[in-house]
Amino acid sequence: MAKSLLLLLALLSGASAALARTPHDTLVVAIPLDGIISFDPAESFETVSNGSLRNVYQTLVEADRQTPQKLAPLLADSWQPGSTPHSLIVNLRPDARPQPLLKRVLLKNVSDAGARRLLIQQGDVDVAYQLGADQVAALQNAPGVRIATFPSSLIYYLGFNTKDAQQPVLGNPALWQAARWLVDYDALAAQLLKGQYAVHQSILPNGFDGALETTPFHYDLVKAKALLQQGGIAPGTHFALTVVNQPPYIDVAQALQASFAKADLHIDIQPVAESELWSKMRGRNFQSIFIYWGADYIDPNTNASAFALNVPGGAKTLAWRTGWEIPQLSASTRAAAGESDVAKRRALYTQLQTTVQQDSPFVVMLQGAQQVALRQSLSHARQGIGVSLLYFDEVSK
């Protein structure tokens, strides 16, 4: 059901045209929009488009904004079991919206992070997303601007295409194992990314029931070299790494390039627009990739069914995209989803997480906190762990 909030997308090529001041009834957001593939609610799967649609359409229920692990009514007023095992009777609310406080939201396509920083600093936009660590640091003491930090379910990982015909070494588990010891996790999080991201090495983000908080891997060049030698991986091996041409992806890619080179593994960085990256990934047209994964809902199954499920003829999950064939693990993932006992279900997801953490073509590295630049004139600006944009219906100026 469409809300009265009107969400406008301005597909502008740059940020050269400065605004004197944003309109009092309009929220102007600087954000790169090149990750958008579709605004069809049945197909939308990317963070910006999906986050936009959540502000346009009401669902029957949503993750509770205070306690996201719980479901809260939205369009639905109540529900009860139907006459068959897989049916529900839903009663709709007679008064489905409060009305939003602003008339419209304008998403302004600004592809350069430095330009986004200047726009928010000058007051030409109200909100700026996807700022790198340097841009955030430059805005910390800027007049009229504040940096808000919101929880995020996004986890960032390095993935290998195990079915790549040009570089079969990517399917060698020895490479996956060595890669885990060639990432300088602490330096990435604390130094390069300046605290924007935390070290995280499990497919379930912190904040989800049963998420592993263990971080067993650290940078160990000697161990990595030994694993490569034992696995028969020749010195001087090359492979391509596809990343989004925005922060933090290029910065992290360059750091990985440097640390892997010490083990005589050579990474060719291929920066692309986000929409192109998704197309390459979904078509298995990549060798390795550094990217994020965001939860679709606040339950362990959303990530487990992406990383640990690959069924012939089924959905093209992340495991499918990397060519990881896991019939036994896939069966365990399905069993965990259907388990109704809370303690047993948590134990199953612990096992799944441990398997993927220890032996898979995924090297989970970081969990992001969403840092957003806001003008001081905004109030009631917040967003939850399972969404990528502000709750636009709450914001006021």
Side-chain angles (χ1 to χ4, degrees), residues 107-172:
L107 300 187
K108 183 173 183 178
N109 183 35
V110 184
S111 59
D112 180 72
R116 295 194 290 274
R117 177 182 69 82
L118 288 175
L119 287 173
I120 189 75
Q121 191 168 351
Q122 295 167 356
D124 293 331
V125 299
D126 302 300
V127 183
Y129 274 96
Q130 295 191 31
L131 298 171
D134 291 339
Q135 284 80 30
V136 170
L139 290 171
Q140 290 288 355
N141 298 313
V145 178
R146 64 185 176 94
I147 301 296
T149 301
F150 302 110
S152 172
S153 67
L154 298 185
I155 59 172
Y156 296 77
Y157 67 92
L158 173 66
F160 298 105
N161 183 354
T162 68
K163 300 299 184 184
D164 183 72
Q166 297 180 348
Q167 185 48 281
V169 74
L170 298 172
N172 188 333

Side-chain angles (χ1 to χ4, degrees), residues 246-260:
Q246 293 286 339
Y249 308 100
I250 294 179
D251 296 331
V252 173
Q254 291 172 341
L256 294 176
Q257 186 182 53
S259 63
F260 276 57

Side-chain angles (χ1 to χ4, degrees), residues 9-246:
L9 299 177
L11 302 177
L12 305 178
S13 60
S16 57
L19 301 176
R21 180 177 297 176
T22 61
H24 73 279
D25 61 353
T26 301
L27 186 74
V28 184
V29 181
I31 188 170
L33 300 179
D34 58 5
I36 295 173
I37 295 177
S38 172
F39 278 108
D40 182 342
E43 296 182 356
S44 175
F45 206 57
E46 296 71 47
T47 53
V48 175
S49 51
N50 196 32
S52 301
L53 290 171
R54 292 189 184 196
N55 276 286
V56 173
Y57 292 93
Q58 284 183 311
T59 52
L60 292 174
V61 296
E62 67 173 351
D64 186 271
R65 295 188 180 187
Q66 299 295 338
T67 310
Q69 292 81 8
K70 298 180 179 179
L71 283 178
L74 187 56
L75 184 58
D77 180 61
S78 62
W79 53 89
Q80 58 270 352
S83 58
T84 62
H86 300 289
S87 64
L88 287 174
I89 298 174
V90 177
N91 301 312
L92 301 181
R93 292 172 56 188
D95 55 340
R97 41 193 66 78
Q99 292 293 317
L101 300 175
L102 297 176
K103 185 176 181 180
R104 62 180 62 86
V105 175
L106 178 68
L107 300 187
K108 183 173 183 178
N109 183 35
V110 184
S111 59
D112 180 72
R116 295 194 290 274
R117 177 182 69 82
L118 288 175
L119 287 173
I120 189 75
Q121 191 168 351
Q122 295 167 356
D124 293 331
V125 299
D126 302 300
V127 183
Y129 274 96
Q130 295 191 31
L131 298 171
D134 291 339
Q135 284 80 30
V136 170
L139 290 171
Q140 290 288 355
N141 298 313
V145 178
R146 64 185 176 94
I147 301 296
T149 301
F150 302 110
S152 172
S153 67
L154 298 185
I155 59 172
Y156 296 77
Y157 67 92
L158 173 66
F160 298 105
N161 183 354
T162 68
K163 300 299 184 184
D164 183 72
Q166 297 180 348
Q167 185 48 281
V169 74
L170 298 172
N172 188 333
L175 176 66
W176 314 343
Q177 295 294 328
R180 285 160 163 74
W181 302 100
L182 288 174
V183 178
D184 196 339
Y185 305 89
D186 292 328
L188 285 178
Q191 299 173 26
L192 181 67
L193 302 175
K194 301 179 180 178
Q196 281 189 313
Y197 303 80
V199 175
H200 187 73
Q201 296 176 357
S202 173
I203 60 172
L204 293 189
N206 287 335
F208 278 47
D209 183 58
L212 280 183
E213 297 184 11
T214 58
T215 54
F217 304 106
H218 59 271
Y219 184 73
D220 189 331
L221 181 60
V222 173
K223 191 165 189 173
K225 285 184 173 180
L227 288 167
L228 292 171
Q229 185 177 18
Q230 293 167 12
I233 298 175
T237 295
H238 283 254
F239 61 88
L241 175 63
T242 304
V243 295
V244 177
N245 58 1
Q246 293 286 339

